[in-house]
Amino acid sequence: MPRLRPSSLYPYFRSVAGLRGVGPVTHKALMRLLTPPRPMLGEQEYEPVLRDLLIHAPTGCEDRRQVTSIARAEAGSLVTLEVDVAEHRPPPPNRPRMPYRVMTRDVSGILTLNYFHVKGDYLLKQLPVGERRFISGTVEWYDGRKIMAHPDMVVPPHRAAEILRVMPVYPLTLGISQRVLLRLMEQALQLATPLPEWLDAALITREGWGDWLSSLKTLHRPTAPEFTLATPARRRLAYDELLAHQLALGLSRQHQQRNATYPITPDAALHARLRAALPFTLTNAQEAALAEMMADLASGHRMIRLLQGDVGSGKTILAFALMAEVAASGYQAAFMAPTDLLARQHEKTLTPLAEKLGLRLIFLSGKMSKPAQAKARAAMAAGEADLVIGTHALFQEEVTFHKLALLVVDEQHRFGVEQRLQLTEKGLSPHILQMTATPIPRSLAMTYYGDMEVSILAEKPPGRQPIDTRAVPIERLSDVVEGLGRVLAGGQKAYWVCPLIEVPQTELDQETQEADIAAAEARLTMLRTHFGEKAGLVHGRMKVAERERVMREFAEGELQLLVATTVIEVGVDVPEATIMIIEQAERFGLAQLHQLRGRVGRGRAASSCVLLYHTPISEHGKARLSILRETNDGFRIAEEDLKLRGAGDVLGTRQTGLPSFHFASIMEDTALVTTARDDVKLYLSKDPDLTAPRGQALRLLLNLFDYDHTVKLLKAA
Ligand code: ADP
Ligand code: MG
């Protein structure tokens, strides 16, 4: 893909193939090792450039400044020695697997250098007999002798300075060594050119930072052996990276808000009717969020908002209120759920409300018959439907909306900036309300949803019971079953969750999924020996109709115990359910366990959650489960989960193309994220098209970190 880049960045975008010492093997290794700032979509091969080398951050450093003697060199330690080469002992021709030995010595003793698979005569050149060399590497004892296998570095005395220093340590891949990488890095640093300053002068002064290039040089040529995240050079570069990302988000938000959208004027009469139709009054948190969102809709700008609220906090009804408002203004609103099952459930709860308000609601999912889908699409295109509920089938090629003014996206982490821009490309620029029950720590929310406004429902509807949570070893299964029997006899309902790999990515996953389903079926059989036909099973591989029948029986009928894989994770609402038993709880993420637990405690009766674990369980695993016992605060759990598992897992977005940072750490740099976000907001309010001198420099920053697409959103070039 050819791109037009400012010429001042050319040095940064030269291929690494042009560096000295990059042959085919090293080149292949660099292709594996170096990744661009923005994850690549698709499978195409990436040709790394100098920029990628320069942002390949070291993870530590090694101090090789002290020269020691052979006698004092301790086994296992990294040392620098000054030795004389005494003798070469190549392996005998009939034993090529033997090491090639080079005997060296100093006044204190003898050291053997061992080399394997030696080709040609490079060792004779590097270590000529009778000459002095500085060598650095790890010393070992072998067979009563001190040896060093493949020294990291060997140089003649006039080049000793190359060794006698603190050296950065880089993450590596097969086919490239620290030494080679170091040499390439050095070349890249020499080719890199200064760039105009894109940071605010006051910030630089306050933090005591250097400029971009000098920070890169400091990071890659450390002089002190301490390596910490607090190093100003590292912090500056982390800030650059975070700023580029926040700026890209800010520009995309600005662009999306510039698109004309339908203004929605609040309809007081409709609002009153809606409230009258609800069987409850809204909580203060709901009222506040609703007011914020109504103001967005009426503002004339496009709403792009994330509504965060723990499971059961009552997000759906707010979404519906907005949808009704939009319909009352004569436009369409769509509600997209991640699965067919959840979409159906929303349809079921919202249809009666829609009817009371005289709004026409239809359903569309890829699982419907072709004629039924065609009929739904026709109704959407003709404007015969006010509200549409469905899955992502809502945005297939063939679908056209009459006047789509609001899109609600429920529990879909994969719906991000790119998806919104795709909508825009289809000529749609609806207001967007994205909802999630995965409480996201603030730092993460700003990183991943930085282009959205955020509303939080911190309070739950009244009358919710606290959930008594315990961790129980599987050996006590019979006690659990007995306790369950008492509760079921009292007429209450219970979930029994077995783990399941939801989307197999590999053959191994496929096998695990099959084993998981078999385990869930075996559990059902066992539970039926106690509870007979009161127990049913749903799992991810069942036919939709079948699954729905079982779910319905559980929600409305005779079924009292639902054995399930995680298909019940989000959204399902059965108030009579009071027990949640989760088997192999150690296999779930904390946030996921919290979500599952949120399925109970929705009615009046006291509820409990049993986390069954397999023994032996690690300390770490126990600590995780005990966090759930201690707190019911989704945000606290999410923070802990983040600490324990890392960002990709918490969001369930490992493969979804979210940024991964080179210099910045999501966990450690939260303050920098906040500063970057504020920086961007303030700056864009003054120079929205990045035309002032700092704005021009910021454009370079965007290009440098591969956010070229957002530069294209700017008005003036
Ligand atoms: P979530 O935020 O998890 O999507 P829901 O919207 O499914 O939560 O709401 C959970 C349950 O709480 C639903 O049965 C809903 O009708 C009910 N609910 C929502 N708001 C209130 C309220 N203010 N008072 C009482 N119940 C409410
Ligand atoms: Mg929900």
Side-chain angles (χ1 to χ4, degrees):
M1 178 176 39
R3 288 185 186 148
L4 276 182
R5 251 187 223 108
S7 56
S8 57
L9 290 180
Y10 287 175
Y12 289 88
F13 285 89
R14 285 159 65 160
S15 163
V16 293
L19 295 176
R20 256 177 296 121
V22 180
V25 175
T26 309
H27 188 248
K28 267 235 154 67
L30 289 173
M31 287 175 81
R32 277 197 307 273
L33 181 67
L34 302 179
T35 53
R38 280 163 42 80
M40 305 266 297
L41 299 173
E43 292 293 300
Q44 71 260 61
E45 296 224 307
Y46 178 67
E47 176 59 46
V49 294
L50 296 200
R51 184 270 323 269
D52 303 313
L53 199 52
L54 292 166
I55 65 173
H56 189 64
T59 49
C61 45
E62 285 170 351
D63 192 349
R64 296 183 198 253
R65 290 173 302 180
Q66 288 301 328
V67 179
T68 184
S69 67
I70 294 176
R72 287 196 168 177
E74 282 174 33
S77 66
L78 180 72
V79 293
T80 302
L81 300 163
E82 186 179 357
V83 299
D84 292 316
V85 181
E87 190 189 346
H88 279 237
R89 292 188 191 160
N94 57 338
R95 319 249 329 248
R97 280 163 194 276
M98 295 256 299
Y100 184 119
R101 297 204 189 101
V102 180
M103 316 304 291
T104 70
R105 65 171 160 240
D106 66 8
V107 289
S108 75
I110 292 179
L111 175 74
T112 309
L113 309 182
N114 278 357
Y115 292 87
F116 294 88
H117 309 297
V118 174
K119 290 206 185 82
D121 61 352
Y122 82 97
L123 283 178
L124 285 170
K125 285 187 191 145
Q126 200 179 46
L127 293 154
V129 173
E131 300 225 357
R132 179 157 294 192
R133 288 292 181 264
F134 280 81
I135 60 174
S136 190
T138 307
V139 172
E140 306 290 349
W141 276 110
Y142 182 78
D143 231 1
R145 279 180 301 193
K146 264 187 186 168
I147 64 150
M148 184 185 282
H150 288 264
D152 299 336
M153 321 191 94
V154 176
V155 295
H158 71 274
R159 283 169 51 199
E162 287 175 29
I163 287 191
L164 300 176
R165 47 176 288 216
V166 176
M167 266 170 226
V169 174
Y170 297 101
L172 295 177
T173 183
L174 202 69
I176 195 161
S177 67
Q178 292 291 350
R179 205 162 38 95
V180 170
L181 194 57
L182 216 63
R183 278 212 302 264
L184 299 179
M185 194 65 83
E186 205 38 56
Q187 291 179 59
L189 286 172
Q190 276 163 23
L191 292 167
T193 45
L195 294 172
E197 185 56 77
W198 46 71
L199 294 191
D200 180 39
L203 179 70
I204 292 189
T205 313
R206 196 181 79 206
E207 298 283 347
W209 288 342
D211 61 32
W212 154 260
L213 185 55
S214 68
S215 301
L216 273 179
K217 288 182 173 166
T218 309
L219 189 77
H220 291 298
R221 295 172 181 157
T223 52
E226 295 78 33
F227 183 85
T228 70
L229 291 178
T231 313
R234 204 282 313 175
R235 278 174 53 83
R236 145 102 211 202
L237 296 169
Y239 189 76
D240 288 335
E241 185 172 41
L242 294 168
L243 183 68
H245 181 235
Q246 288 297 326
L247 184 58
L249 291 172
L251 288 174
S252 119
R253 174 175 55 216
Q254 179 177 282
H255 175 75
Q256 295 177 61
Q257 287 179 334
R258 272 179 188 170
N259 285 334
T261 188
Y262 305 110
I264 309 299
T265 36
D267 181 329
L270 173 99
H271 209 70
R273 276 197 292 149
L274 173 65
R275 280 171 193 269
L278 290 181
F280 46 73
T281 52
L282 297 181
T283 64
N284 291 335
Q286 283 173 315
E287 290 288 2
L290 186 59
E292 258 172 349
M293 296 188 291
M294 289 293 200
D296 283 352
L297 292 191
S299 73
H301 295 294
R302 193 167 169 208
M303 171 175 85
I304 299 173
R305 190 174 278 278
L306 177 71
L307 177 59
Q308 276 195 53
D310 217 340
V311 269
S313 56
K315 296 182 291 291
T316 314
I317 195 63
L318 297 188
F320 181 79
L322 293 195
M323 292 171 75
E325 207 64 63
V326 163
S329 295
Y331 306 108
Q332 288 174 308
F335 189 115
M336 179 163 72
T339 66
D340 192 76
L341 189 76
L342 287 169
R344 283 287 180 194
Q345 196 181 6
H346 285 305
E347 181 207 10
K348 206 180 98 196
T349 46
L350 298 181
T351 300
L353 280 175
E355 275 167 7
K356 279 189 191 156
L357 300 181
L359 300 173
R360 297 158 301 177
L361 185 152
I362 64 159
F363 184 81
L364 177 66
S365 119
K367 297 235 163 113
M368 288 164 41
S369 72
K370 293 273 177 279
Q373 287 187 47
K375 192 168 161 239
R377 285 202 302 267
M380 284 157 68
E384 284 158 18
D386 303 307
L387 311 180
V388 189
I389 294 185
T391 57
H392 49 261
L394 289 178
F395 294 98
Q396 277 160 3
E397 291 297 313
E398 319 87 82
V399 176
T400 45
F401 285 91
H402 181 58
K403 277 180 176 180
L404 183 70
L406 171 67
L407 170 62
V408 178
V409 183
D410 194 23
E411 302 292 354
Q412 271 266 29
H413 298 304
R414 283 163 196 244
F415 200 83
V417 182
E418 319 259 310
Q419 283 70 25
R420 293 199 294 276
L421 289 173
Q422 274 167 25
L423 283 185
T424 315
E425 273 158 28
K426 287 187 80 176
L428 297 170
S429 58
H431 295 287
I432 296 208
L433 175 63
Q434 206 161 329
M435 306 200 292
T436 177
T438 311
I440 300 155
R442 241 188 101 67
S443 57
L444 261 193
M446 266 191 296
T447 308
Y448 291 115
Y449 301 104
D451 62 331
M452 309 177 95
E453 306 295 330
V454 178
S455 297
I456 294 180
L457 288 182
E459 169 196 9
K460 285 199 190 171
R464 295 282 156 82
Q465 302 279 340
I467 301 160
D468 177 33
T469 302
R470 325 181 162 194
V472 176
I474 189 78
E475 284 77 18
R476 287 181 44 209
L477 185 66
S478 56
D479 296 349
V480 172
V481 171
E482 202 178 301
L484 182 60
R486 284 194 295 274
V487 175
L488 297 187
Q492 297 177 17
K493 294 183 177 177
Y495 296 100
W496 189 297
V497 177
C498 301
L500 172 74
I501 289 206
E502 290 281 353
V503 190
Q505 313 253 341
T506 65
E507 251 167 61
L508 205 67
D509 285 357
Q510 192 83 33
E511 281 170 25
T512 315
Q513 192 190 42
E514 274 158 25
D516 283 347
I517 289 174
E521 279 164 351
R523 184 57 74 216
L524 174 76
T525 311
M526 177 279 219
L527 290 168
R528 277 205 171 142
T529 63
H530 295 269
F531 308 119
E533 296 305 306
K534 283 184 201 158
L537 171 72
V538 286
H539 63 68
R541 285 257 195 102
M542 277 163 85
K543 291 231 163 59
V544 184
E546 176 67 4
R547 198 160 76 194
E548 283 181 351
R549 187 181 57 72
V550 179
M551 294 293 301
R552 205 165 30 247
E553 278 178 20
F554 180 66
E556 298 159 8
E558 294 296 290
L559 215 51
Q560 274 184 282
L561 176 61
L562 185 67
V563 180
T565 58
T566 45
V567 287
I568 60 160
E569 189 177 330
V570 275
V572 182
D573 195 22
V574 179
E576 306 84 46
T578 56
I579 295 199
M580 169 64 64
I581 295 161
I582 304 171
E583 214 173 313
Q584 290 188 51
E586 70 275 12
R587 263 181 67 184
F588 293 84
L590 286 187
Q592 216 183 354
L593 290 173
H594 177 65
Q595 291 255 2
L596 286 168
R597 176 170 64 177
R599 301 292 113 220
V600 296
R602 301 187 145 226
R604 301 253 159 258
S607 295
S608 56
C609 173
V610 180
L611 305 170
L612 279 175
Y613 60 86
H614 276 254
T615 46
I617 185 170
S618 64
E619 280 306 308
H620 175 82
K622 251 214 162 106
R624 290 181 59 223
L625 295 186
S626 72
I627 291 164
L628 283 160
R629 287 211 321 262
E630 280 162 30
T631 181
N632 197 27
D633 175 348
F635 281 90
R636 158 106 206 274
I637 290 167
E639 294 277 358
E640 297 292 336
D641 213 15
L642 182 63
K643 276 192 212 144
L644 293 169
R645 293 198 308 154
D649 277 339
V650 172
L651 292 168
T653 44
R654 265 191 185 286
Q655 275 122 18
T656 54
L658 287 170
S660 60
F661 296 110
H662 290 74
F663 300 117
S665 147
I666 304 231
M667 288 306 295
E668 309 295 334
D669 291 321
T670 53
L672 290 182
V673 177
T674 316
T675 311
R677 181 171 159 95
D678 294 346
D679 193 349
V680 164
K681 272 206 162 160
L682 182 65
Y683 192 75
L684 287 183
S685 72
K686 293 183 299 198
D687 183 17
D689 283 296
L690 305 184
T691 51
R694 185 181 170 204
Q696 294 288 349
L698 282 167
R699 287 174 180 233
L700 287 182
L701 176 68
L702 288 170
N703 289 126
L704 191 57
F705 281 96
D706 275 354
Y707 295 104
D708 307 57
H709 66 292
T710 56
V711 180
K712 287 199 211 101
L713 302 177
L714 297 168
K715 270 186 190 149

